[in-house]
Amino acid sequence: MKNIFVINGGQKFAHSGGAFNQTLTGWTVDFLRQHPDFAVKVTNVNDDYDPAEEVKKYVWADVVIYHTPVWWFQVPHRLKEYIDVVFTAGHQQGIYVSDGRSRTNPAVNYGTGGTLQGRHYMLTTSWNAPEEAFTLPGEFFNQKSVDEGVMFGFHRMNAFTGMEPLEGLHFHDVEKNANIDRDRQRYFAHLERVLLSDSVVAA
């Protein structure tokens, strides 16, 4: 049995109803519940939560799946608040014990104090920006990928806890050129490849 914790970071705010990430979360839960090897817990950042209970979900999970839109080149403020609150509550409670350094040699080993070693996480992001904005010369993101550029800090945050990344998936041009059927097929194929691999199921 593998424990999967799904976080829906699709915040309801201004013109956004969070619909795409709510759909992604539903697809994820449907997929996982079709396979008896997975147990599932879900958090929606729009809902009230108990930080201590959210810490327990991280500790319980073998894999954390984050679904988030990207707003102004960052995660939405409700997801950022969730991370700030829950990770702070997780200090010496299972997420991390320290920043990893010692006072005798404080220049080294920063970021090694996490206590979620052996766990994995997977990130999906959704964008108004087209994929070509990341890949074509002269376009906005200077040929930096999502993971190497805008979401670099998010990945280091998870590394700080001790978690390791699974291959993520990014959805582009979802406001002007959405194709739900295509995205669903693409996402389910991704889950099949990433979550049903021998290394994840047997770990």
Side-chain angles (χ1 to χ4, degrees):
M1 178 70 72
K2 302 299 292 185
N3 298 330
I4 314 293
F5 177 30
V6 183
I7 300 174
N8 176 6
Q11 183 177 343
K12 299 175 183 178
F13 177 76
H15 65 278
S16 174
F20 185 77
N21 284 275
Q22 181 65 34
T23 298
L24 274 178
T25 301
W27 289 345
T28 305
V29 172
D30 289 345
F31 176 88
L32 295 172
R33 288 181 176 163
Q34 291 173 15
H35 298 276
D37 291 329
F38 296 120
V40 185
K41 294 183 179 181
V42 181
T43 286
N44 186 325
V45 299
N46 297 281
D47 299 334
D48 293 335
Y49 56 85
D50 178 347
E53 290 301 314
E54 299 304 300
V55 171
K56 291 178 183 177
K57 292 177 185 177
Y58 270 92
V59 175
W60 167 85
D62 298 299
V63 178
V64 178
I65 298 177
Y66 297 98
H67 295 307
T68 182
V70 177
W71 291 0
W72 292 108
F73 317 113
Q74 302 175 62
V75 299
H77 57 271
R78 182 72 174 171
L79 176 57
K80 180 60 167 66
E81 179 186 52
Y82 172 89
I83 291 165
D84 289 344
V85 170
V86 173
F87 280 28
T88 299
H91 180 223
Q92 299 188 346
Q93 298 298 319
I95 292 182
Y96 73 103
V97 294
S98 70
D99 69 10
R101 298 179 296 163
S102 69
R103 294 190 183 279
T104 57
N105 191 2
V108 299
N109 294 323
Y110 177 80
T112 61
T115 48
L116 295 179
Q117 288 83 6
R119 280 82 157 186
H120 293 83
Y121 71 95
M122 188 185 87
L123 171 65
T124 77
T125 63
S126 49
W127 296 77
N128 173 53
E131 186 174 5
E132 291 80 2
F134 298 86
T135 60
L136 293 180
E139 287 298 311
F140 187 78
F141 292 99
N142 298 319
Q143 294 181 279
K144 285 265 189 197
S145 71
V146 171
D147 297 297
E148 294 171 325
V150 172
M151 300 308 292
F152 177 80
F154 190 90
H155 287 296
R156 298 321 297 160
M157 174 198 81
N158 283 282
F160 192 96
T161 72
M163 289 194 289
E164 297 181 6
L166 298 172
E167 181 186 352
L169 192 64
H170 307 298
F171 298 89
H172 296 284
D173 211 0
V174 298
E175 290 196 21
K176 296 182 175 66
N177 194 27
N179 186 324
I180 293 296
D181 290 339
R182 175 200 62 201
D183 288 342
R184 184 180 186 279
Q185 292 176 16
R186 181 175 168 234
Y187 183 55
F188 271 67
H190 178 82
L191 291 177
E192 289 272 356
R193 185 174 69 256
V194 173
L195 292 184
L196 298 184
S197 68
D198 291 340
S199 61
V200 172
V201 173

